[in-house]
């Protein structure tokens, strides 16, 4: 049995707390984002050191390793989107099929140590981008392929929720 694709629209997490993972968008500001991305990366490194990291809890649920590879790629994708928003006026982001990426990149069989190192590095890159924002640049806009519009600041909050939520998914939060 494969993974059931996640087709939910998660943009509501920008307006209210997530009942599943406890993430509250109002509990931190833009200035907190770099430190939070770095600390969650440290938590992910611990998850990826588990002896059972590649074991799925159920046939249709990603293993911690698969979630970790996904989070690494999330950090890379969001850093790419922030750069695009800083370089272009009102860009539209290319669609990203996270489920296809998981299969094509064979998340289930990646080396956990390499995933951890890549995740920490990618989180650091994204954190540095957010740390360099000003009041003006934080309000630059971009649009997802489905029409959802973000500022860099709201994209950062959305990004952080994804990372935190997946820590919850693997029992690390």
């Amino acid at each position: 049995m494969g993974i059931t694709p996640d087709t939910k629209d998660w943009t509501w997490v920008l307006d209210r707390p997530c009942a599943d993972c406890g993430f509250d968008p109002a509990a931190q500001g833009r200035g907190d984002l770099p430190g939070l991305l770095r600390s969650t990366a440290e938590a992910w490194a611990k998850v990826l050191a588990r002896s059972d990291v590649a074991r799925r809890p159920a046939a249709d649920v990603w293993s911690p390793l698969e979630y970790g590879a996904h989070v690494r790629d999330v950090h890379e994708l969001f850093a790419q989107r922030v750069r695009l928003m800083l370089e272009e006026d009102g860009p539209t982001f290319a669609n990203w099929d996270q489920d296809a990426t998981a299969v094509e990149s064979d998340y289930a069989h990646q080396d956990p140590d390499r995933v951890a190192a890549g995740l920490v590095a990618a989180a650091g890159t994204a954190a540095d981008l957010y740390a360099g924002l000003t009041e003006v640049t934080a309000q630059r806009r971009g649009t997802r392929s489905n029409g959802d519009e973000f500022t860099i600041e709201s994209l950062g909050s959305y990004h952080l929720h994804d990372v935190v939520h997946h820590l919850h998914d693997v029992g690390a939060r």
Side-chain angles (χ1 to χ4, degrees):
M1 178 184 293
I3 301 295
T4 303
D6 183 359
T7 58
K8 294 180 210 152
D9 178 358
W10 287 93
T11 54
W12 59 266
V13 302
L14 296 172
D15 300 318
R16 63 183 188 272
C18 179
D20 293 335
C21 72
F23 178 83
D24 183 354
Q28 69 278 314
R30 177 175 46 85
D32 301 315
L33 190 55
L36 291 169
L37 287 176
R38 286 185 178 94
S39 67
T40 57
E42 292 170 16
W44 272 105
K46 291 177 183 172
V47 167
L48 290 161
R50 292 177 184 170
S51 61
D52 64 345
V53 70
R55 185 177 309 133
R56 284 186 171 183
D60 62 342
V61 177
W62 277 350
S63 69
L65 174 58
E66 291 167 293
Y67 273 116
H70 168 71
V71 168
R72 176 204 56 214
D73 290 354
V74 163
H75 284 309
E76 291 173 356
L77 176 75
F78 278 79
Q80 185 179 73
R81 289 180 174 180
V82 169
R83 280 189 209 97
L84 191 62
M85 294 167 81
L86 290 169
E87 294 166 1
E88 296 180 16
D89 289 332
T92 298
F93 312 133
N95 188 42
W96 182 51
D97 186 333
Q98 63 187 15
D99 299 301
T101 301
V103 172
E104 292 164 7
S105 297
D106 196 16
Y107 283 174
H109 296 101
Q110 292 190 17
D111 177 82
D113 292 333
R114 291 185 74 187
V115 171
L119 188 155
V120 169
T125 297
D128 289 347
L129 285 167
Y130 291 118
L133 296 175
T134 66
E135 289 297 323
V136 172
T137 58
Q139 299 311 309
R140 291 187 59 85
R141 298 186 173 278
T143 306
R144 248 186 354 191
S145 58
N146 69 355
D148 290 334
E149 188 176 75
F150 292 88
T151 63
I152 295 177
E153 186 168 0
S154 66
L155 188 76
S157 186
Y158 188 76
H159 176 183
L160 181 60
H161 171 260
D162 197 304
V163 173
V164 167
H165 195 96
H166 291 319
L167 280 171
H168 166 78
D169 288 334
V170 298
R173 182 170 160 89

